[in-house]
Amino acid sequence: MALPAPLKPIQHHLRTAQEHEKRDPVVSYYCRLYAMQTGMKLDSKTPECRKFLVKLMDQLESMKKELADNDSITQEVVGNAHIENYALKMFLYADNEDRAGRFHKNMIKSFYSASLLLDVLSVFGELSEENIQHRKYARWKATYIHNCLKNGETPQAGPIGMDEDREADEYGAEGSSGLSHGGSFRGEQPSPSYKDQDQSLDPGPAPGIGFTSGPGSGPTGPPTTNFNNIHIPPGAHAPANTPAELPPPTGGVHLSPEDYTKAQKYCKYAGSALQYEDVGTAIQNLQKALKLLTTGKE
């Protein structure tokens, strides 16, 4: 079913969901959940939009049943960590390529995909200031590098600055980032996949996402304003973000100050594990924290 025009701002999130259908169903599920929630705000009354959104809801219900045994679906705190870790890993892959002066279509796609997944984190609550900055920087970098390459210019590597005024014009209220399918990047090859051992991103083939450009479509020369909020040295691991809020205790469970301290420690351990890309240990600690807060028992 074709995407109705009023729902165009969610097209790239739906594309990302489709790309991850088999590679990472959790990412696919939350991308669709974000698209559904955003779509409801955009237009849930027009018949064609309502029909599309109902179909998307049915798809989400089906996925939820298929993934019923997956902690990232049944426990939001685990799902939040999964999406954030994935998004920041894509960001860091692109950032490292950028700092090394390796400019190519796949790193542009990775910057942009990271920004889309940071959008998706909003299904769990408000984004942290750090992730808001990462998202803004990633979107700007994707446009800046693309336009430089398109115009035969050599991009300046690293976080040298950002033309914030033009970035704001480019990404506007729709959040469509001035990017559309069917642009100069052809083909439907998959975006980067993770290696089994270190989970780093494999450059892989060129992505199938189009970028539109033209007058006012984004910066093509050196950025004009400093943008030094992101300090991530090459090869760095994803920053650890301890969840700000966990589900409140249910069933009248009384928690002691010691219980809260233990839960905080588990969350910190999970954050540390994510710094070293140890997802298994991170999930175990998040589950311990969740169990303690909801049952009062370890």
Side-chain angles (χ1 to χ4, degrees), residues 84-290:
E84 184 173 52
N85 192 44
Y86 196 101
L88 293 176
K89 201 181 294 290
M90 293 195 88
F91 177 93
L92 290 166
Y93 161 75
D95 184 61
N96 289 342
E97 290 293 283
D98 177 33
R99 290 169 187 263
R102 293 189 292 267
F103 305 109
H104 49 86
K105 295 173 183 177
N106 212 49
M107 62 94 74
I108 296 172
K109 171 72 178 289
S110 293
F111 263 135
Y112 187 57
S113 295
S115 76
L116 295 177
L117 290 172
L118 289 169
D119 283 340
V120 171
L121 280 178
S122 65
V123 303
F124 304 105
E126 291 186 17
L127 295 186
S128 67
E129 183 60 30
E130 183 179 37
N131 282 335
I132 289 173
Q133 294 299 328
H134 277 87
R135 178 177 63 179
K136 186 175 184 180
Y137 181 77
R139 284 190 176 164
W140 171 76
K141 266 290 184 180
T143 303
Y144 166 64
I145 296 172
H146 166 71
N147 285 339
C148 282
L149 297 183
K150 179 179 172 61
N151 295 327
E153 301 169 5
T154 301
Q156 293 191 38
I160 50 173
M162 186 170 81
D163 189 338
E164 296 190 57
D165 292 335
R166 297 184 73 175
E167 195 272 348
D169 293 340
E170 172 68 11
Y171 295 118
E174 286 190 344
S176 60
S177 310
L179 305 170
S180 68
H181 303 319
S184 58
F185 292 172
R186 302 295 184 183
E188 294 295 332
Q189 296 95 333
S191 55
S193 59
Y194 293 118
K195 295 178 181 177
D196 293 334
Q197 295 300 316
D198 61 5
Q199 294 188 312
S200 62
L201 280 164
D202 184 341
I209 190 168
F211 291 67
T212 58
S213 60
S217 67
T220 57
T224 57
T225 55
N226 290 330
F227 192 77
N228 298 317
N229 294 335
I230 296 179
H231 297 288
I232 305 176
H237 294 287
N241 286 328
T242 302
E245 295 182 36
L246 284 165
T250 57
V253 175
H254 177 72
L255 298 175
S256 68
E258 185 181 2
D259 291 330
Y260 284 109
T261 300
K262 286 182 180 178
Q264 286 181 332
K265 286 183 179 179
Y266 284 135
C267 289
K268 287 180 180 178
Y269 295 155
S272 296
L274 289 180
Q275 280 190 299
Y276 295 97
E277 303 181 0
D278 186 352
V279 178
T281 300
I283 290 175
Q284 286 177 5
N285 281 289
L286 288 170
Q287 288 174 332
K288 288 179 181 178
L290 193 63

Side-chain angles (χ1 to χ4, degrees), residues 66-86:
E66 291 174 10
L67 300 170
D69 296 330
N70 193 312
D71 291 337
S72 292
I73 301 298
T74 59
Q75 300 181 38
E76 283 197 357
V77 67
V78 182
N80 191 348
H82 183 102
I83 299 300
E84 184 173 52
N85 192 44
Y86 196 101

